[in-house]
Structures are given as structure tokens and as C-alpha cells.
Amino acid sequence: MKKLIIPVVAISLLATSCVSKKKYVALENQYTDTKGVLQKTTLEKEALEGKFAKIESRVASYNEKINSLKSDNSSLQDANDVKLDMVGKTAVISNNTRERMRATLSKVDPALLSNAKTLKDSLNLAISYNLKNKMNTTDLNNSEDINIDIDQTVVMISVSDKLLFNTASYKVKRGAYSLIEKLANVIKSEPSMDVMIEGHTDSRTINNATVQDNWDLSVKRATSIVRLLESKYNIEGSRLIAAGRGSTVPLVENTTNANRAKNRRTRIVILPNLDKFFALISDDQLSD
């Protein structure tokens, strides 16, 4: 009986050994296949990562181009805003100034606006309107005695001598100080502007204890205004120029009392950058 049991056990062990080896081989094959799949997946992953890196690079490049285009567009817009248009032969204004000018002209008396035939006329009218508002000329006895004009790159404010001086005198009237203070405020608010004060007379000769002739009177009147701007209203002397024109630049013929009165004037000549000057006197900055 014992002799029969031993072979049976051996057969059983042999069978068990054979099954384990098959499983081992199967697992080994499965491992090999899995390893191969993993290697393939790794290669595919690396390939995808390479493609993704290229895509990211392209996206970054496109974003850079887009930002560059935005910058170019912004630059073009800025350039368009400062695009200059000619006024007369030499003065220029930007599109920004033109827009501010249009906004101002919408408030101007239509009767006055109808006389503006050119860009120069329109700019003149707009600057005159805004500057008179800033100076608040309504509190003067006669604001018609103040005239504001623009010629090429120069803004000119002409003031009748009866607002500033007594006849044949170069001493500034005390009552003119409020007007001169308004002029000083305009001048001080834009340091880039230089200012020339010009004295003008009519053609009648003058000679007395203090004044030698029309040249002398015109220069002394200009100097009186300059001294006042510097000493009382703290305008830097380096920005001020005193000039006398005598009777050499009349507005009209000196044939009547009314015409001579027009020719007797003091002219404040301001030489600004027109864009800066127009921004300075735009409605939203009016203090009065």
C-alpha cells in the first residue's frame, strides 16, 4: 500500500510544478508586454510633450505678436491723436486740439461762428472764446477793448490804452491791476510760454517832461507792464520782453479820433505750443 502512495504524491507535485511554471511564463510574458507598452507610452508621452512645447512656443509667439500689434495700434492711435494740421503757413494743431476746438465752438455765438471760414479762423475764435472766459472780461467796463487774435504761431491779446493808462502817461492805472492779474495767471500757468509786451501809440507827436516821443512812450508803457508782471505778480523776468513799436504798426489809418483810439494799445504777445496753450485754456480748467 505504501508503495502505491509515493508515486501518487510525486505525480501530484510534478503537476503542481508544471502549473506554476506556466503561470510564471504567462506572467513573464505579460510583464514583457506591459513593459513594451510602457516604453511605447513613454515615447508617445515624450513626443506629445515635445509637440505641446512647440504649441506653447507658438502660442507665446502669437501672444507676442498680438501684444506687438496692440502696441502698434496704440502707437498709431497716439500718432493719430497728435497728427498735425496746418494753420496758416506755419502753425500746427493736433487732432486732440481739433476735438477740443470743436467742443468749444459748439458754445460760440452762431453769428460769430458763421464768419469762421478757415481752420485758422476757427482756432482763433475758439482760443478767443476760452481765453476771454478764463480772464473773465465780463467784469470790465468794456470787454470790447480787449481783442484776442492768433497769427501763425503767436497768440496776441490787445488791450486798449484807456484800460491801462491815462492820456500821454506810462503809469499803469490802479484799476487795471485786476486785468493784469488775470493775464499774469494765464502766463504763470504755462511756464513754457514767453511773453512780449508791445506798446503802440497813434501818430500824433508827443513831447513833455517825461516822454520824448511816441517811441519813448510806447517803450515806457511796455516796460511798466513788464515791471508789474515781474514785481507784483512774480513772473520770471527771463520770460518777459518789453518792446515799443511807436506809431509804426497802426491797425487803421490815423484819420479820426476813433481810429487813433484803436491804434493806442498794448499788445501781449504769447509764444506757446498751441496744443499746450489750448489745453491750458480749455473749459474744464476755467477757474472763474
Side-chain angles (χ1 to χ4, degrees):
M1 187 68 178
K2 291 181 179 179
K3 291 180 180 179
L4 291 173
I5 292 173
I6 293 173
V8 171
V9 172
I11 293 169
S12 177
L13 289 172
L14 181 60
T16 301
S17 176
C18 290
V19 171
S20 297
K21 185 174 182 180
K22 286 180 181 180
K23 286 184 177 180
Y24 173 78
V25 170
L27 289 172
E28 188 176 46
N29 290 337
Q30 185 178 353
Y31 170 74
T32 301
D33 293 341
T34 302
K35 185 177 180 181
V37 171
L38 180 60
Q39 288 176 341
K40 181 181 179 182
T41 302
T42 301
L43 292 174
E44 290 175 347
K45 176 177 176 291
E46 290 175 351
L48 287 173
E49 287 178 343
K51 291 180 180 179
F52 185 71
K54 290 180 180 179
I55 292 172
E56 282 189 323
S57 178
R58 289 197 198 101
V59 170
S61 177
Y62 292 150
N63 285 335
E64 185 177 348
K65 289 179 180 179
I66 290 171
N67 291 332
S68 177
L69 289 173
K70 287 181 178 178
S71 177
D72 290 344
N73 183 62
S74 177
S75 297
L76 288 172
Q77 183 62 49
D78 291 343
N80 185 58
D81 287 341
V82 299
K83 181 181 178 182
L84 301 178
D85 290 308
M86 297 299 296
V87 182
K89 295 180 180 179
T90 58
V92 291
I93 63 170
S94 71
N95 285 347
N96 282 334
T97 295
R98 184 188 282 270
E99 290 304 315
R100 289 195 295 269
M101 180 181 69
R102 287 173 179 162
T104 299
L105 291 176
S106 66
K107 305 172 186 178
V108 172
D109 183 348
L112 294 175
L113 191 58
S114 65
N115 295 322
K117 306 300 182 183
T118 65
L119 178 59
K120 177 183 174 181
D121 294 338
S122 298
L123 183 60
N124 177 30
L125 188 59
I127 288 181
S128 177
Y129 175 86
N130 279 334
L131 187 52
K132 281 188 176 181
N133 280 345
K134 187 173 181 67
M135 290 171 58
N136 192 18
T137 57
T138 55
D139 65 352
L140 299 175
N141 292 330
N142 185 359
S143 61
E144 293 301 316
D145 289 325
I146 298 177
N147 182 60
I148 301 168
D149 193 16
I150 177 174
D151 184 14
Q152 306 300 336
T153 58
V154 177
V155 175
M156 293 168 289
I157 306 169
S158 292
V159 182
S160 172
D161 75 328
K162 66 183 179 182
L163 295 180
L164 301 174
F165 307 101
N166 291 319
T167 302
S169 172
Y170 56 85
K171 183 178 181 180
V172 179
K173 290 181 179 179
R174 180 67 59 176
Y177 282 16
S178 62
L179 170 60
I180 296 174
E181 182 177 8
K182 294 176 192 297
L183 291 170
N185 289 336
V186 172
I187 295 168
K188 285 194 292 187
S189 60
E190 180 45 69
S192 67
M193 295 191 297
D194 288 333
V195 181
M196 180 166 63
I197 310 300
E198 286 184 353
H200 295 260
T201 69
D202 60 33
S203 60
R204 291 177 301 180
T205 58
I206 180 173
N207 183 280
N208 56 40
T210 57
V211 176
Q212 182 176 347
D213 54 22
N214 284 325
W215 284 107
D216 194 22
L217 178 61
S218 65
V219 170
K220 285 182 175 178
R221 284 183 168 179
T223 303
S224 294
I225 300 295
V226 164
R227 286 198 181 104
L228 198 57
L229 288 171
E230 182 180 24
S231 62
K232 185 173 179 62
Y233 300 109
N234 301 315
I235 305 295
E236 293 180 9
S238 61
R239 298 178 56 200
L240 299 173
I241 305 166
R245 305 299 297 272
S247 60
T248 61
V249 191
L251 296 175
V252 291
E253 294 292 331
N254 285 287
T255 53
T256 65
N257 288 336
N259 281 3
R260 284 190 286 269
K262 290 180 180 180
N263 291 330
R264 294 191 302 270
R265 66 200 188 278
T266 297
R267 193 166 71 157
I268 297 88
V269 183
I270 303 174
L271 298 89
N273 172 295
L274 287 181
D275 280 342
K276 289 182 179 180
F277 188 73
F278 199 89
L280 160 71
I281 59 176
S282 60
D283 285 348
D284 60 351
Q285 297 185 36
L286 297 181
S287 59
D288 292 324

